[in-house]
Amino acid sequence: DADVTQTPRNRITKTGKRIMLECSQTKGHDRMYWYRQDPGLGLRLIYYSFDVKDINKGEISDGYSVSRQAQAKFSLSLESAIPNQTALYFCATSDLRGTHSTGELFFGEGSRLTVL
Amino acid sequence: GENVEQHPSTLSVQEGDSAVIKCTYSDSASNYFPWYKQELGKGPQLIIDIRSNVGEKKDQRIAVTLNKTAKHFSLHITETQPEDSAVYFCAAINAGGTSYGKLTFGQGTILTVHP
């Protein structure tokens, strides 16, 4: 089984609908992230959480919200989806214990969202 | 904040040739530079990284070089093979700063290795 699991892997929805993307991890990492990937734009950070009680906005958080239900679970919500939120979404985890740790990111396999 | 520019956006080579992908960064405080490889249908995976106290690092057919003065770093793949075909992302971070744990990624390079 994958260490970082995203559901659903593919979703087609309509403008205005509420969508939730879920992420669970078995790596035991404290830090979890949601990234969005668009062609030519690379990976852009939406939200990140350094522990269960810590939620932070990334560079493109508008239109998104998150919930850290447990150390192992981090979900991303689109309250009212719009077409320009069509993208590939990745959840990632990292472990920054240790003074020399740089926090290698471990990614899930992605959730492809299409908003019509 | 940090800004990372990556070039080229696409790169096509023949099997056995070398491939070079270049990135520039803006924040002189950045001190850790990883490279991620994303295969089709998969999430990105770390393949090599370099810290600012090192100018070059090699791992079999891949190497990364860093020029701190010019604020650019490059990925070099020698003797390319079809399985090297993927999207490659560079990234930068100040691993000891307030952005600790938040990588800034480049735009990605689609590498195609033709048999």
Side-chain angles (χ1 to χ4, degrees):
Chain A
D1 288 341
D3 293 326
V4 183
T5 302
Q6 294 184 229
T7 57
R9 294 292 311 280
N10 287 283
R11 180 73 183 269
I12 300 173
T13 190
K14 295 182 178 180
T15 298
K17 294 292 187 181
R18 183 178 188 274
I19 295 297
M20 179 180 287
L21 306 179
E22 297 183 331
C23 177
S24 62
Q25 52 114 347
T26 58
K27 299 191 72 67
H29 290 169
D30 290 328
R31 300 191 172 201
M32 298 188 73
Y33 310 78
W34 276 103
Y35 281 89
R36 167 176 172 161
Q37 183 179 2
D38 298 277
L41 295 178
L43 293 156
R44 293 181 292 165
L45 184 62
I46 306 172
Y47 269 96
Y48 62 102
S49 170
F50 285 176
D51 63 44
V52 174
K53 297 181 180 179
D54 177 78
I55 301 289
N56 303 279
K57 293 182 178 181
E59 61 179 299
I60 56 164
S61 59
D62 287 349
Y64 301 95
S65 62
V66 292
S67 174
R68 184 81 183 266
Q69 300 95 328
Q71 187 210 32
K73 296 184 181 295
F74 192 37
S75 60
L76 175 72
S77 294
L78 288 68
E79 296 301 325
S80 180
I82 56 177
N84 75 0
Q85 291 178 313
T86 294
L88 183 57
Y89 291 86
F90 285 101
C91 174
T93 72
S94 71
D95 181 7
L96 280 166
R97 282 171 286 182
T99 56
H100 297 294
S101 175
T102 52
E104 175 184 352
L105 291 174
F106 295 87
F107 286 87
E109 296 197 323
S111 295
R112 184 168 295 281
L113 175 66
T114 302
V115 183
L116 302 177
Chain B
E2 176 65 277
N3 182 52
V4 177
E5 296 289 331
Q6 182 173 345
H7 298 281
S9 56
T10 61
L11 180 59
S12 182
V13 300
Q14 290 296 128
E15 183 176 1
D17 288 349
S18 295
V20 180
I21 303 170
K22 299 181 179 181
C23 291
T24 60
Y25 61 99
S26 61
D27 187 352
S28 57
S30 288
N31 55 17
Y32 174 66
F33 308 92
W35 285 87
Y36 284 79
K37 175 184 181 183
Q38 182 183 17
E39 296 178 344
L40 192 63
K42 303 286 188 181
Q45 186 172 9
L46 179 70
I47 55 171
I48 195 169
D49 56 19
I50 191 168
R51 298 173 188 266
S52 59
N53 60 348
V54 175
E56 183 175 3
K57 183 177 180 180
K58 291 183 179 180
D59 183 4
Q60 300 182 347
R61 294 186 297 107
I62 61 173
V64 58
T65 58
L66 171 66
N67 183 327
K68 287 190 295 181
T69 302
K71 290 191 283 189
H72 66 71
F73 57 111
S74 300
L75 177 71
H76 304 255
I77 306 175
T78 59
E79 301 174 18
T80 53
Q81 301 169 3
E83 52 264 39
D84 294 328
S85 296
V87 181
Y88 291 81
F89 292 99
C90 62
I93 186 174
N94 176 357
T98 57
S99 61
Y100 200 35
K102 296 190 302 171
L103 291 169
T104 298
F105 286 90
Q107 295 82 359
T109 297
I110 302 172
L111 173 63
T112 303
V113 180
H114 298 282

